[in-house]
Amino acid sequence: MNTLLLLLIAANVLVSFKAFNDLLFFRKYEFHIGSIRSGEHIRMISSAFLHADLGHLFFNMFTLFMFAPVVTAYLDSLSFLTIYFGSLVFGSLLTLMMHKDDYSYRAVGASGAVTGVLYSAILLEPGMSLYLFFIPIPIPAYLFGIGYLLYSIYGMKAKNDNIGHTAHFGGAVGGFLITLIKYPQVLSQEPFMVGLLLVPIVILFFMARSGKI
């Protein structure tokens, strides 16, 4: 397994477990609009290594574990890191932009970075499938990716947890754009998949413009 992937997972697990048992640590480094707008910009990065609970941590790390090897099979380690952290930053910036006037808004999770890696993997290997524990048949990866973002729309509308659902979309945009820059031949090789993966992003855009989210 890629050492870089293991290091990223280990960092997420160690920081998250520290925060599970230390509320002051959690509050100091979570994504919080009021604190970020007062100058604590480190939260835009540090919050991506915190998670709301064990299930949230497991889901993000499982998704990263499943899809990161696909990206590293096509791109070098530096490109993979660019996608991971670039998507993280895209996710944080979109969250800040969409919630800039909600000073009490809080969120945590590697969702932006992981969704960027997910989108990148689907673009690079659109025919792959995966097995989920509760579904005994293979699921096309692109359906998983699109469903992941549609679930995020629900989470953004419901606002009933501390998960950074908005970051999913910023991360998807980051992973999408960076992959096209790093591996532009996907535009000619998989034009249908490129268009299909744009669908949930376009849905979010119009929902945001119409004030429905």
Side-chain angles (χ1 to χ4, degrees):
M1 187 185 299
N2 190 295
T3 302
L4 200 55
L5 173 59
L6 288 177
L7 288 173
L8 282 174
I9 292 175
N12 275 277
V13 170
L14 291 173
V15 175
S16 292
F17 269 86
K18 163 68 175 173
F20 290 158
N21 299 294
D22 188 339
L23 183 59
L24 288 178
F25 180 87
F26 184 91
R27 291 300 183 203
K28 182 176 180 180
Y29 293 109
E30 69 180 344
F31 191 101
H32 178 240
I33 293 291
S35 299
I36 292 170
R37 294 199 62 177
S38 69
E40 296 180 29
H41 300 126
I42 187 63
R43 291 173 179 262
M44 296 182 70
I45 304 297
S46 62
S47 59
F49 290 89
L50 301 171
H51 289 81
D53 52 41
L54 193 58
H56 184 209
L57 173 64
F58 174 80
F59 185 73
N60 270 339
M61 294 304 99
F62 172 75
T63 305
L64 182 62
F65 176 82
M66 292 296 294
F67 291 100
V70 178
V71 178
T72 55
Y74 282 84
L75 304 173
D76 58 31
S77 295
L78 180 59
S79 295
F80 170 71
L81 280 179
T82 302
I83 290 169
Y84 186 90
F85 285 100
S87 299
L88 187 162
V89 171
F90 266 82
S92 291
L93 288 174
L94 181 65
T95 305
L96 181 62
M97 182 179 71
M98 291 190 69
H99 299 279
K100 64 181 183 299
D101 296 322
D102 183 0
Y103 281 71
S104 64
Y105 181 87
R106 302 173 185 271
V108 292
S111 304
V114 171
T115 308
V117 172
L118 167 66
Y119 250 49
S120 177
I122 295 170
L123 280 172
L124 294 169
E125 193 67 52
M128 65 181 171
S129 298
L130 69 155
Y131 286 87
L132 301 180
F133 296 123
F134 47 87
I135 301 177
I137 59 174
I139 304 298
Y142 68 87
L143 289 181
F144 178 82
I146 292 171
Y148 191 57
L149 290 191
L150 293 178
Y151 163 72
S152 301
I153 291 178
Y154 165 78
M156 292 165 68
K157 288 177 67 65
K159 299 179 181 179
N160 58 3
D161 55 34
N162 199 35
I163 297 171
H165 295 287
T166 309
H168 294 179
F169 281 91
V173 172
F176 188 85
L177 293 177
I178 296 169
T179 302
L180 292 181
I181 292 169
K182 293 288 186 179
Y183 201 80
Q185 51 266 54
V186 75
L187 282 167
S188 58
Q189 293 173 352
E190 299 293 343
F192 175 75
M193 191 57 60
V194 171
L196 187 62
L197 292 179
L198 273 174
V199 170
I201 297 173
V202 172
I203 290 173
L204 173 72
F205 174 78
F206 282 106
M207 289 183 71
R209 286 290 299 271
S210 63
K212 294 180 179 179
I213 197 166

Coordinates of all heavy atoms in Angstrom, one line a residue, residues 111-172:
S111 N -13.9 15.6 4.4 CA -14.9 15.4 3.3 C -14.4 16.1 2.0 O -14.5 15.5 1.0 CB -16.2 15.9 3.7 OG -16.7 15.3 4.9
G112 N -13.9 17.3 2.1 CA -13.5 18.0 0.9 C -12.4 17.3 0.2 O -12.4 17.0 -1.0
A113 N -11.3 17.0 1.0 CA -10.2 16.3 0.4 C -10.6 14.9 -0.1 O -10.2 14.5 -1.2 CB -9.1 16.1 1.5
V114 N -11.4 14.2 0.6 CA -11.7 12.8 0.2 C -12.6 12.8 -1.0 O -12.5 12.0 -1.9 CB -12.4 12.1 1.4 CG1 -13.0 10.7 0.9 CG2 -11.4 11.8 2.5
T115 N -13.6 13.8 -1.1 CA -14.4 13.8 -2.2 C -13.7 14.2 -3.5 O -13.9 13.8 -4.6 CB -15.6 14.8 -2.0 OG1 -16.2 14.5 -0.8 CG2 -16.6 14.8 -3.1
G116 N -12.6 15.1 -3.3 CA -11.8 15.4 -4.4 C -11.1 14.2 -5.0 O -11.0 14.0 -6.2
V117 N -10.5 13.3 -4.1 CA -9.9 12.1 -4.5 C -10.9 11.1 -5.1 O -10.6 10.5 -6.1 CB -9.2 11.4 -3.2 CG1 -8.7 10.0 -3.6 CG2 -8.1 12.3 -2.7
L118 N -12.1 11.1 -4.6 CA -13.1 10.2 -5.1 C -13.5 10.6 -6.6 O -13.5 9.8 -7.5 CB -14.4 10.3 -4.3 CG -15.7 9.8 -4.8 CD1 -15.6 8.3 -5.0 CD2 -16.9 10.2 -3.9
Y119 N -13.7 11.9 -6.8 CA -14.0 12.4 -8.1 C -12.8 12.2 -9.1 O -13.0 11.8 -10.2 CB -14.4 13.9 -8.0 CG -15.8 14.2 -8.3 CD1 -16.8 13.5 -7.6 CD2 -16.2 15.2 -9.2 CE1 -18.1 13.7 -7.8 CE2 -17.6 15.4 -9.4 CZ -18.5 14.7 -8.7 OH -19.9 14.9 -9.0
S120 N -11.6 12.4 -8.6 CA -10.5 12.2 -9.4 C -10.4 10.7 -9.9 O -10.2 10.4 -11.1 CB -9.2 12.6 -8.7 OG -8.0 12.3 -9.4
A121 N -10.6 9.8 -8.9 CA -10.5 8.4 -9.2 C -11.6 8.0 -10.2 O -11.3 7.2 -11.2 CB -10.7 7.6 -7.9
I122 N -12.8 8.5 -10.1 CA -13.9 8.1 -11.0 C -13.6 8.7 -12.4 O -13.8 8.0 -13.4 CB -15.2 8.7 -10.5 CG1 -15.6 8.0 -9.2 CG2 -16.3 8.5 -11.5 CD1 -16.8 8.6 -8.5
L123 N -13.0 9.9 -12.5 CA -12.6 10.4 -13.8 C -11.5 9.5 -14.5 O -11.6 9.3 -15.7 CB -12.1 11.8 -13.7 CG -13.1 12.9 -13.5 CD1 -12.4 14.3 -13.2 CD2 -13.9 13.1 -14.8
L124 N -10.6 9.1 -13.7 CA -9.5 8.3 -14.2 C -9.8 6.9 -14.5 O -9.3 6.3 -15.5 CB -8.3 8.3 -13.2 CG -7.7 9.7 -13.0 CD1 -6.7 9.7 -11.8 CD2 -6.9 10.2 -14.2
E125 N -10.8 6.3 -13.8 CA -11.2 4.9 -14.0 C -12.7 4.8 -13.8 O -13.2 4.2 -12.9 CB -10.5 4.0 -12.9 CG -10.5 2.5 -13.1 CD -9.7 2.1 -14.4 OE1 -8.6 2.5 -14.5 OE2 -10.4 1.5 -15.2
P126 N -13.4 5.3 -14.8 CA -14.9 5.4 -14.7 C -15.6 4.1 -14.7 O -16.7 4.0 -14.2 CB -15.3 6.2 -15.9 CG -14.2 6.0 -16.9 CD -12.9 5.9 -16.0
G127 N -14.9 3.0 -15.1 CA -15.6 1.7 -15.2 C -15.5 0.9 -13.9 O -16.0 -0.2 -13.9
M128 N -14.8 1.4 -12.9 CA -14.6 0.6 -11.7 C -15.9 0.5 -10.9 O -16.8 1.3 -11.0 CB -13.5 1.2 -10.8 CG -13.8 2.5 -10.3 SD -12.4 3.1 -9.3 CE -12.9 4.8 -9.0
S129 N -15.9 -0.6 -10.1 CA -17.1 -0.8 -9.2 C -16.5 -1.0 -7.8 O -15.3 -1.3 -7.6 CB -17.9 -2.0 -9.6 OG -18.4 -1.8 -10.9
L130 N -17.4 -1.0 -6.8 CA -17.0 -1.3 -5.4 C -18.1 -2.0 -4.7 O -19.3 -1.9 -5.1 CB -16.6 0.0 -4.6 CG -17.7 1.0 -4.3 CD1 -17.3 1.8 -3.1 CD2 -18.0 2.0 -5.5
Y131 N -17.8 -2.7 -3.6 CA -18.7 -3.4 -2.8 C -18.9 -2.7 -1.5 O -17.9 -2.3 -0.9 CB -18.3 -4.8 -2.5 CG -18.4 -5.8 -3.7 CD1 -17.3 -5.9 -4.6 CD2 -19.5 -6.6 -3.9 CE1 -17.4 -6.7 -5.7 CE2 -19.6 -7.4 -5.0 CZ -18.5 -7.5 -5.9 OH -18.6 -8.4 -7.0
L132 N -20.2 -2.4 -1.1 CA -20.5 -1.9 0.2 C -21.0 -3.0 1.1 O -21.6 -3.9 0.6 CB -21.6 -0.8 0.1 CG -21.2 0.4 -0.8 CD1 -22.3 1.4 -0.9 CD2 -19.9 1.1 -0.4
F133 N -20.7 -2.8 2.4 CA -21.0 -3.9 3.3 C -22.5 -4.4 3.3 O -22.8 -5.5 3.4 CB -20.7 -3.5 4.8 CG -19.2 -3.2 5.0 CD1 -18.8 -1.9 5.4 CD2 -18.3 -4.1 4.7 CE1 -17.5 -1.7 5.6 CE2 -16.9 -3.9 4.9 CZ -16.5 -2.6 5.3
F134 N -23.4 -3.4 3.1 CA -24.8 -3.7 3.2 C -25.5 -4.0 1.8 O -26.7 -4.2 1.7 CB -25.6 -2.6 3.9 CG -25.2 -1.2 3.3 CD1 -25.9 -0.7 2.2 CD2 -24.2 -0.5 3.9 CE1 -25.5 0.6 1.7 CE2 -23.8 0.8 3.4 CZ -24.5 1.3 2.3
I135 N -24.7 -4.0 0.7 CA -25.2 -4.3 -0.6 C -24.3 -5.4 -1.2 O -23.2 -5.2 -1.5 CB -25.2 -3.0 -1.5 CG1 -26.0 -1.9 -0.9 CG2 -25.7 -3.3 -2.9 CD1 -26.0 -0.6 -1.6
P136 N -24.9 -6.6 -1.5 CA -24.1 -7.7 -1.9 C -23.7 -7.7 -3.4 O -23.2 -8.7 -3.9 CB -25.0 -8.9 -1.6 CG -26.4 -8.3 -1.8 CD -26.3 -6.9 -1.3
I137 N -24.0 -6.7 -4.1 CA -23.7 -6.6 -5.5 C -22.8 -5.4 -5.8 O -22.8 -4.4 -5.0 CB -24.9 -6.5 -6.4 CG1 -25.7 -5.2 -6.0 CG2 -25.8 -7.7 -6.3 CD1 -26.9 -5.0 -7.0
P138 N -21.9 -5.5 -6.8 CA -21.0 -4.3 -7.1 C -21.8 -3.1 -7.5 O -22.7 -3.1 -8.3 CB -20.1 -4.8 -8.2 CG -20.9 -5.9 -8.9 CD -21.7 -6.6 -7.8
I139 N -21.3 -1.9 -7.0 CA -21.9 -0.6 -7.3 C -21.0 0.1 -8.2 O -19.8 0.3 -7.9 CB -22.2 0.2 -6.0 CG1 -23.1 -0.6 -5.0 CG2 -22.8 1.5 -6.3 CD1 -24.4 -1.0 -5.5
P140 N -21.5 0.6 -9.4 CA -20.6 1.5 -10.2 C -20.1 2.7 -9.4 O -20.9 3.3 -8.7 CB -21.5 1.9 -11.3 CG -22.6 0.8 -11.4 CD -22.8 0.4 -10.0
A141 N -18.8 2.9 -9.5 CA -18.2 4.0 -8.7 C -18.8 5.3 -8.9 O -19.0 6.2 -8.0 CB -16.7 4.0 -8.9
Y142 N -19.2 5.6 -10.2 CA -19.8 6.9 -10.5 C -21.1 7.1 -9.8 O -21.4 8.2 -9.4 CB -19.9 7.1 -12.0 CG -20.9 6.3 -12.7 CD1 -22.2 6.7 -12.8 CD2 -20.5 5.1 -13.3 CE1 -23.1 5.9 -13.5 CE2 -21.4 4.3 -14.0 CZ -22.7 4.7 -14.1 OH -23.7 3.9 -14.7
L143 N -21.9 6.0 -9.6 CA -23.1 6.1 -8.9 C -22.9 6.5 -7.4 O -23.6 7.2 -6.8 CB -24.0 4.9 -9.0 CG -24.6 4.6 -10.4 CD1 -25.4 3.3 -10.3 CD2 -25.5 5.7 -10.8
F144 N -21.8 5.8 -6.9 CA -21.5 6.1 -5.5 C -21.1 7.6 -5.3 O -21.5 8.2 -4.4 CB -20.3 5.2 -5.1 CG -19.8 5.4 -3.7 CD1 -20.4 4.9 -2.6 CD2 -18.6 6.2 -3.5 CE1 -20.0 5.1 -1.3 CE2 -18.2 6.4 -2.2 CZ -18.8 5.9 -1.1
G145 N -20.3 8.1 -6.3 CA -19.8 9.4 -6.2 C -20.9 10.4 -6.3 O -21.0 11.4 -5.5
I146 N -21.8 10.2 -7.3 CA -23.0 11.1 -7.4 C -23.9 11.0 -6.2 O -24.4 12.1 -5.7 CB -23.7 10.8 -8.7 CG1 -22.8 11.2 -9.9 CG2 -25.0 11.6 -8.8 CD1 -23.4 10.7 -11.3
G147 N -24.1 9.8 -5.7 CA -25.0 9.7 -4.5 C -24.4 10.3 -3.3 O -25.1 10.9 -2.5
Y148 N -23.1 10.3 -3.2 CA -22.3 10.9 -2.1 C -22.6 12.4 -2.1 O -22.9 13.0 -1.0 CB -20.9 10.6 -2.3 CG -19.9 10.9 -1.2 CD1 -20.1 10.4 0.1 CD2 -18.8 11.8 -1.3 CE1 -19.3 10.7 1.2 CE2 -17.9 12.0 -0.3 CZ -18.2 11.5 0.9 OH -17.3 11.7 2.0
L149 N -22.6 13.0 -3.3 CA -22.8 14.5 -3.3 C -24.3 14.8 -3.1 O -24.6 15.8 -2.5 CB -22.3 15.0 -4.7 CG -20.8 15.1 -4.8 CD1 -20.4 15.9 -6.1 CD2 -20.1 15.7 -3.6
L150 N -25.2 14.0 -3.6 CA -26.6 14.2 -3.4 C -27.0 14.1 -2.0 O -27.8 14.9 -1.4 CB -27.5 13.2 -4.3 CG -27.4 13.4 -5.8 CD1 -28.2 12.4 -6.5 CD2 -27.8 14.8 -6.2
Y151 N -26.4 13.1 -1.3 CA -26.5 13.0 0.2 C -26.0 14.3 0.8 O -26.6 14.8 1.8 CB -25.8 11.8 0.7 CG -25.6 11.9 2.2 CD1 -26.6 11.7 3.1 CD2 -24.3 12.1 2.8 CE1 -26.5 11.7 4.5 CE2 -24.1 12.2 4.1 CZ -25.2 12.0 5.0 OH -25.0 12.1 6.3
S152 N -25.0 14.9 0.3 CA -24.4 16.1 0.9 C -25.4 17.3 0.7 O -25.5 18.1 1.6 CB -23.1 16.5 0.2 OG -22.2 15.5 0.3
I153 N -26.2 17.3 -0.4 CA -27.2 18.3 -0.5 C -28.2 18.2 0.6 O -28.6 19.2 1.2 CB -27.9 18.2 -1.9 CG1 -26.9 18.6 -3.0 CG2 -29.1 19.1 -2.0 CD1 -27.5 18.5 -4.4
Y154 N -28.6 17.0 0.8 CA -29.6 16.7 1.9 C -29.0 17.2 3.3 O -29.7 17.9 4.1 CB -29.9 15.2 2.0 CG -30.6 14.8 3.3 CD1 -31.9 15.1 3.5 CD2 -29.9 14.2 4.4 CE1 -32.5 14.8 4.7 CE2 -30.5 13.9 5.6 CZ -31.8 14.2 5.7 OH -32.4 13.9 6.9
G155 N -27.7 16.9 3.5 CA -27.1 17.3 4.8 C -27.0 18.8 4.9 O -27.2 19.3 6.0
M156 N -26.7 19.5 3.8 CA -26.7 20.9 3.8 C -28.0 21.5 4.1 O -28.1 22.5 4.9 CB -26.1 21.4 2.5 CG -24.7 21.1 2.3 SD -24.1 21.3 0.5 CE -24.2 23.1 0.4
K157 N -29.1 20.9 3.6 CA -30.4 21.5 3.8 C -30.9 21.1 5.2 O -31.5 22.0 5.9 CB -31.4 20.9 2.8 CG -31.2 21.5 1.4 CD -32.2 20.8 0.4 CE -33.6 21.2 0.7 NZ -33.9 22.6 0.6
A158 N -30.6 19.9 5.7 CA -31.1 19.5 7.0 C -30.4 20.2 8.2 O -31.0 20.5 9.2 CB -30.9 18.0 7.2
K159 N -29.0 20.5 8.0 CA -28.3 21.2 9.0 C -28.5 20.5 10.4 O -28.6 21.3 11.4 CB -28.6 22.7 9.1 CG -28.4 23.4 7.8 CD -28.8 24.8 7.8 CE -28.6 25.5 6.5 NZ -29.0 27.0 6.5
N160 N -28.4 19.2 10.5 CA -28.7 18.6 11.8 C -27.5 17.8 12.3 O -27.6 16.9 13.2 CB -29.9 17.6 11.6 CG -29.6 16.5 10.6 OD1 -28.6 16.5 9.9 ND2 -30.6 15.7 10.3
D161 N -26.3 18.1 11.8 CA -25.1 17.5 12.3 C -23.9 18.5 12.2 O -24.1 19.6 11.8 CB -24.8 16.2 11.6 CG -24.6 16.4 10.1 OD1 -24.2 17.4 9.6 OD2 -25.0 15.4 9.4
N162 N -22.7 18.0 12.6 CA -21.5 18.9 12.6 C -20.6 18.5 11.4 O -19.4 18.8 11.5 CB -20.8 18.7 13.9 CG -19.9 19.9 14.2 OD1 -20.2 21.0 13.8 ND2 -18.8 19.6 14.8
I163 N -21.1 17.8 10.4 CA -20.3 17.4 9.3 C -20.3 18.5 8.2 O -21.3 19.1 7.9 CB -20.9 16.1 8.7 CG1 -20.8 15.0 9.8 CG2 -20.1 15.6 7.5 CD1 -21.5 13.7 9.4
G164 N -19.1 18.6 7.6 CA -18.9 19.7 6.6 C -19.4 19.3 5.2 O -18.6 19.1 4.3
H165 N -20.7 19.2 5.1 CA -21.3 18.8 3.8 C -21.0 19.7 2.7 O -20.8 19.3 1.6 CB -22.8 18.7 4.0 CG -23.3 17.6 4.9 ND1 -23.2 16.3 4.6 CD2 -23.8 17.7 6.2 CE1 -23.7 15.6 5.7 NE2 -24.0 16.4 6.6
T166 N -20.9 21.0 3.0 CA -20.6 22.0 1.9 C -19.2 21.7 1.3 O -19.0 21.9 0.1 CB -20.7 23.4 2.5 OG1 -21.9 23.6 3.1 CG2 -20.6 24.4 1.3
A167 N -18.3 21.3 2.2 CA -17.0 21.0 1.7 C -16.9 19.9 0.7 O -16.0 19.8 -0.1 CB -16.1 20.6 2.9
H168 N -17.9 18.9 0.7 CA -18.0 17.9 -0.3 C -18.0 18.5 -1.7 O -17.3 18.0 -2.6 CB -19.2 17.0 -0.1 CG -19.3 16.3 1.2 ND1 -20.4 15.5 1.5 CD2 -18.4 16.1 2.2 CE1 -20.2 14.9 2.7 NE2 -19.0 15.3 3.1
F169 N -18.7 19.5 -1.8 CA -18.9 20.1 -3.2 C -17.6 20.9 -3.6 O -17.2 20.8 -4.7 CB -20.1 21.0 -3.2 CG -21.3 20.2 -3.4 CD1 -22.1 19.8 -2.3 CD2 -21.8 19.8 -4.7 CE1 -23.2 19.0 -2.5 CE2 -22.9 19.1 -4.9 CZ -23.6 18.6 -3.7
G170 N -17.1 21.6 -2.6 CA -15.8 22.3 -3.0 C -14.7 21.3 -3.3 O -13.9 21.5 -4.2
G171 N -14.7 20.2 -2.5 CA -13.7 19.2 -2.8 C -13.9 18.5 -4.1 O -13.0 18.2 -4.9
A172 N -15.2 18.3 -4.5 CA -15.5 17.7 -5.8 C -15.0 18.6 -6.9 O -14.4 18.1 -7.9 CB -17.0 17.4 -5.9

